[in-house]
Amino acid sequence: MNFLSASPVSSGIMLSMLDWIAIGVFLFLVVCAAMWARFQQKGRADFFLAGRSMSWVVVTFSTFATLFSTISFVAIPGEAYDHGLMLSLTLIVGAMFYPLGVWLFLRFFFNTQTYTAYEYLERRFNLPTRLGGAMTYCIIRLLYGGTVFYAAAKVFESLAGWPMIATVLVIGVFTIIYTATGGMKAVMITDTIQGVIVVIGIGAILYTLLQITNFDIQGIYTYASENGRGYEGVVQPEFYRMNLFDRFSLWLLLIASITTPLATLSADQSVLQRLLASKSYKHARRAVIVNAFTAVPVVGMLWLIGIGLSFLYTSGKTSLPSNIESDHVLGFFISSHLPAPFPGLITAALLAALMSTIDSTVNCIANVIHCDFLVRLRVVGNNSNHEMLVCRLLSILIGLVCVGLAVLMTLANEGIQSNILEITGIWSSLWLVLLAVFLIGVLAPRVTGKHIFIGMVLGGMVSLYLPYTLYYATPADERISFMWVGVPGMLITITLPLLLSLLWPDVKSTEGLTLWSIKNKSNTSKISDPVLVN
């Protein structure tokens, strides 16, 4: 017996007046948060780090919103619908490595006046390494921000029928205004609102889906497993072999699960800036741990939605129009089966996820440019009378660049929308280079600035070159797994400086800057909050 009667053919979200009211209330709250935060600012510490006054609850929601994007909302159910649950293992296993990232990296950034992660690289190595790391971050985040903006505009075009360029311009300008007005405090407060809306939206979709399928979770998973979309792959011999052409394997699971949390807590200023805005190291540590383990059930709901939609539409329980692609199945389900104001709430959740990605990109790149380049190179004075004006102008400029990249991608329209998970995975390979630099910094005291800078440059060049040669210039059926693309650059960045330190020895004090010098401190009660050597 069919669970549902015939459904409408449209794949878009049909918004009623009640839906638009829900969206309007969300945008109004964002504006109020920005205006309130505007009057709390007295300097760049308030603008970029919210005066280091945020509680772990706000930091937790803000961090989740930063790591979650509109693409996550659509691409994860699409991945589960097409390929099943195997990639979700990285979410589950990766949560276990966040405490390691806290222990290795986070404590180096606290109890100091550090504004960016890359200040540590100068103290540990030299100025060129700091500038190289900061520049690499800006490149990664601008590319990611532009790609997410473009892909999100595609999502809104397919789900709600909004014109792409108009979506980019309107949402972009709105986000730039509230970010430049309210700074990090406004960003984190709105991130909290956005995070709550995202969770409610996911919950509403999942509850409706389970209600339609009579809450038959066991039946959903059994169907997925019978069709090769469950976790049965872990007992297959192929899962344990070293084959670069396998889409997913034990080795890729370990690489992704270990490197993602470590890179997030060492090199990703977008996350670290929120953690540095905490009241203390204790608050930041709690936010990391709570976020890591609560993200598992929240994002896990999206994976369940994906296989639930597959069960609903491919098992013969109900029909799906032939013109609906996997990326549009979620929109079709929302428009067909969720009553008002839930479609509006889902649209607001998608807007929230997009705005969180963009406001994070804008504020954090502005902070890096201001602190690591303009102030450090004495282009502008530290704590000058025009400091706040410079910070706001930087935020506006970065926002316009991000919007411009999205518009260019929209006009070019050369297949970027296909397989967004793979695209973002490929270009995230530069994160592995930055992670390698920070790992060498805390674990290898014999490596100095001249060694690591050479490794970082060569590793970065390889990571920029390989996505083209191994992926875009290779036929689809001849490509290696996208998850291997960043590994060579990381290995070069790690091994080359270690070899150079043996062949070309140098000496520099690393007291308080490596894991070993912290361990050797006599006052072990202060291990959690070391003060970096200037």
Side-chain angles (χ1 to χ4, degrees), residues 50-202:
R52 304 181 192 267
S53 62
M54 308 305 288
S55 73
W56 69 269
V57 176
V58 174
V59 175
T60 298
F61 273 103
S62 182
T63 302
F64 171 78
T66 300
L67 296 174
F68 191 91
S69 70
T70 306
I71 307 309
S72 307
F73 208 114
V74 176
I76 291 175
E79 169 71 17
Y81 187 91
D82 279 336
H83 301 287
L85 297 173
M86 287 296 289
L87 275 180
S88 69
L89 289 173
T90 59
L91 171 71
I92 300 169
V93 179
M96 303 176 186
F97 288 94
Y98 276 92
L100 177 62
V102 171
W103 182 68
L104 278 177
F105 302 115
L106 189 58
R107 51 193 182 150
F108 283 97
F109 304 131
F110 265 86
N111 208 28
T112 70
Q113 293 303 306
T114 298
Y115 280 80
T116 74
Y118 315 106
E119 291 181 44
Y120 167 79
L121 295 182
E122 180 177 6
R123 294 183 173 117
R124 172 62 182 87
F125 296 115
N126 55 21
L127 178 60
T129 304
R130 174 182 181 175
L131 299 180
M135 183 177 297
T136 302
Y137 166 79
C138 292
I139 292 172
I140 295 172
R141 269 297 162 182
L142 276 176
L143 288 174
Y144 178 75
T147 302
V148 168
F149 219 150
Y150 167 81
K154 288 293 295 181
V155 169
F156 284 113
E157 181 184 52
S158 64
L159 296 187
W162 297 357
M164 287 185 62
I165 292 182
T167 299
V168 169
L169 293 176
V170 173
I171 297 177
V173 170
F174 182 83
T175 305
I176 292 170
I177 290 173
Y178 85 73
T179 303
T181 300
M184 179 53 72
K185 183 168 288 189
V187 168
M188 294 184 72
I189 293 173
T190 55
D191 279 352
T192 301
I193 300 171
Q194 292 157 359
V196 171
I197 292 175
V198 166
V199 172
I200 293 174
I202 294 173

Side-chain angles (χ1 to χ4, degrees), residues 15 18-28 162 344-345 347-348 351:
L15 299 179
L18 195 58
D19 294 319
W20 282 109
I21 291 174
I23 296 172
V25 169
F26 161 67
L27 296 177
F28 175 74
W162 297 357
L345 183 66
T347 304
L351 282 171

